[in-house]
Amino acid sequence: PHPDRPRRDPTAHPRRPRGVCAVLLRAAALRRSGRCGQRPQMASTAAGTSKNAHGPLRDRAAERTEAEWETIYAARKARKEKHRARAAGVIDRRNPRCRRYWMVLSYEGGGFHGWQKQELADGPLRTVEGVLEERLRPVLAQRVKFWPAGRTDAGVSARGQVAQFDAVLPESTALTALTGAVNAALPPDVRCLSLALARKGSSTSACLWKRYVYRVEGEPAAVLAACRRVCQEARGSGEGGVGEDRAGGGEGGCGTVDVEAMRRAGALLEGRRDFASFQSKGGRSTTVRTLHRCDVRWCEGEGLAITLEGDGFLYNMARIVAGTLLQVGVGCRSASSVEQVLAAADRVAAGPTAPAAGLCLEHVEYERPWGGERGASRGEAAGQDDVVVDEAS
């Protein structure tokens, strides 16, 4: 015993018997009371009905009609068939021939309800994940599951999305030919830019940084009208802190939207900060992120482009940052107000959530740490040469 701990007196509080001793003592007590062999009765409720759950179940089963039983049996049969179909062709990852593949995807978000599959009562919605699983199952002759670098929302496009899947393919499979077969099976709004054999243990979720670009395309007048429309919709819905529209050009602006003010506001967001004000909903363990770059550019003939590069993004963070900068561009808020938004850590303090149609996931980086990249051109299909591949492939 521990020297500082007093010894227990066994006569003061005798220990309760456990295990076999407790069972034997309980049986002896039942024999003495004359209840040995009797089934224990459940306590009754105040209304005098038994709490035994089998009684009400038997009553409901007796009251069901034959048509109700047929409906129940049909539902059970449908569930079994669904489970059987879901289990058919499932990949065994313990198979030594099972390899992991990475593919770089480009898709137009306007025709999809986001990346993740969504099942509704009247059927599944058209999503990127659902289209990939449905179209590529005949090509790969097996059912595969795709894990993306990031799940894009409904309407958000991608030009450098990276997704991984595990499959058992012959050793002689040529990745170039497989890429062509994949594109032949996919619809026109989804393209596989490249396909590579990933290193063992790699994961698409372990990226170093991502690049999002939000674009408002058109001539200066059309861009100004689009920015004003975002602010007016936010003012009508009460989303974000909005003020009066004072747009009309500014120093360094494009003649309509004050691009220089947007750049000053974006510079205040760069660095490792708490972006709690720039998320639509919680659920993350931390809201601290590193935004390496927040740049605003005006390109003649193309319009306004907001480039965001960071190690991670909260839910709708890129769109809320874009909406806040658009407010600065049309004069609904000052550039210095961004610091107050960060300090508030409240979604109400930030600007509106910009429409999803303007956002695009341009690039996902896995090898090179961020070093001030500035190659976010409009036609860049980034990510093709940045997939971690096996040298033997």
Side-chain angles (χ1 to χ4, degrees):
H2 196 275
D4 298 334
R5 183 180 301 168
R7 296 180 61 86
R8 176 179 176 276
D9 184 6
T11 60
H13 299 283
R15 291 181 178 178
R16 184 178 180 179
R18 301 178 180 179
V20 178
C21 296
V23 174
L24 296 177
L25 292 175
R26 178 62 177 168
L30 290 175
R31 284 195 297 269
R32 287 195 301 269
S33 62
R35 293 186 298 165
C36 183
Q38 296 181 5
R39 187 173 181 177
Q41 299 294 328
M42 302 295 293
S44 300
T45 61
T49 58
S50 174
K51 287 187 177 180
N52 189 357
H54 297 287
L57 289 178
R58 291 196 191 98
D59 296 340
R60 289 196 298 270
E63 294 174 356
R64 284 177 178 149
T65 63
E66 185 176 354
E68 291 177 342
W69 282 114
E70 291 293 336
T71 303
I72 293 174
Y73 292 147
R76 291 177 180 175
K77 184 178 180 181
R79 284 198 300 269
K80 289 182 179 179
E81 292 179 354
K82 182 177 180 180
H83 295 328
R84 199 175 295 114
R86 182 179 298 174
V90 176
I91 301 300
D92 184 7
R93 298 184 185 176
R94 296 172 295 182
N95 190 331
R97 295 174 52 203
C98 182
R99 308 292 295 272
R100 175 160 294 180
Y101 298 87
W102 279 17
M103 59 193 313
V104 181
L105 297 170
S106 173
Y107 51 85
E108 297 295 333
F112 296 97
H113 293 270
W115 170 275
Q116 188 175 7
K117 289 195 302 184
Q118 301 181 45
E119 297 285 345
L120 298 181
D122 55 348
L125 296 176
R126 188 173 188 264
T127 61
V128 180
E129 182 183 16
V131 169
L132 290 175
E133 292 185 1
E134 178 185 357
R135 296 296 185 93
L136 299 188
R137 183 172 182 177
V139 176
L140 302 174
Q142 53 199 300
R143 189 173 69 88
V144 294
K145 174 71 174 177
F146 294 89
W147 289 272
R151 294 180 295 180
T152 53
D153 297 331
V156 178
S157 302
R159 294 187 180 129
Q161 174 73 280
V162 181
Q164 71 181 27
F165 65 93
D166 299 330
V168 179
L169 300 177
E171 296 291 339
S172 59
T173 302
L175 296 182
T176 304
L178 182 59
T179 303
V182 167
N183 283 324
L186 290 175
D189 52 355
V190 184
R191 294 288 90 187
C192 176
L193 304 180
S194 66
L195 185 63
L197 186 62
R199 291 176 182 171
K200 186 177 181 181
S202 59
S203 174
T204 54
S205 61
C207 66
L208 299 178
W209 53 273
K210 303 176 184 178
R211 177 189 298 137
Y212 281 96
V213 178
Y214 193 91
R215 295 183 177 88
V216 184
E217 299 177 340
E219 297 298 325
V223 173
L224 176 61
C227 296
R228 283 176 171 171
R229 185 163 52 251
V230 172
C231 296
Q232 290 172 359
E233 293 176 355
R235 189 180 296 113
S237 62
E239 182 184 25
V242 294
E244 294 298 329
D245 187 354
R246 300 184 302 273
E251 183 181 356
C254 62
T256 53
V257 179
D258 194 346
V259 178
E260 186 61 32
M262 297 177 68
R263 289 173 180 162
R264 293 196 303 268
L268 297 176
L269 294 175
E270 294 180 349
R272 188 163 184 82
R273 304 179 183 279
D274 187 355
F275 289 93
S277 298
F278 295 90
Q279 65 171 349
S280 292
K281 62 181 181 180
R284 298 284 186 174
S285 58
T286 177
T287 54
V288 177
R289 297 292 186 271
T290 301
L291 190 61
H292 300 297
R293 177 188 177 194
C294 182
D295 188 28
V296 182
R297 291 186 180 183
W298 173 265
C299 300
E300 291 296 336
E302 296 185 0
L304 194 67
I306 302 174
T307 303
L308 305 174
E309 295 177 352
D311 61 353
F313 293 85
L314 302 172
Y315 183 67
N316 282 341
M317 173 178 164
R319 293 168 58 188
I320 297 175
V321 170
T324 304
L325 295 183
L326 291 180
Q327 283 187 339
V328 174
V330 299
C332 290
R333 66 167 70 236
S334 63
S336 60
S337 65
V338 173
E339 294 181 332
Q340 302 173 3
V341 174
L342 288 171
D346 188 0
R347 172 66 187 92
V348 179
T353 304
L359 186 62
C360 181
L361 175 60
E362 293 280 343
H363 180 67
V364 183
E365 181 59 49
Y366 290 91
E367 291 187 330
R368 299 188 301 270
W370 189 87
E373 285 76 2
R374 298 288 174 178
S377 62
R378 174 179 171 81
E380 177 184 11
Q384 297 187 39
D385 302 328
D386 301 299
V387 177
V388 183
V389 298
D390 193 341
E391 298 297 336
S393 63

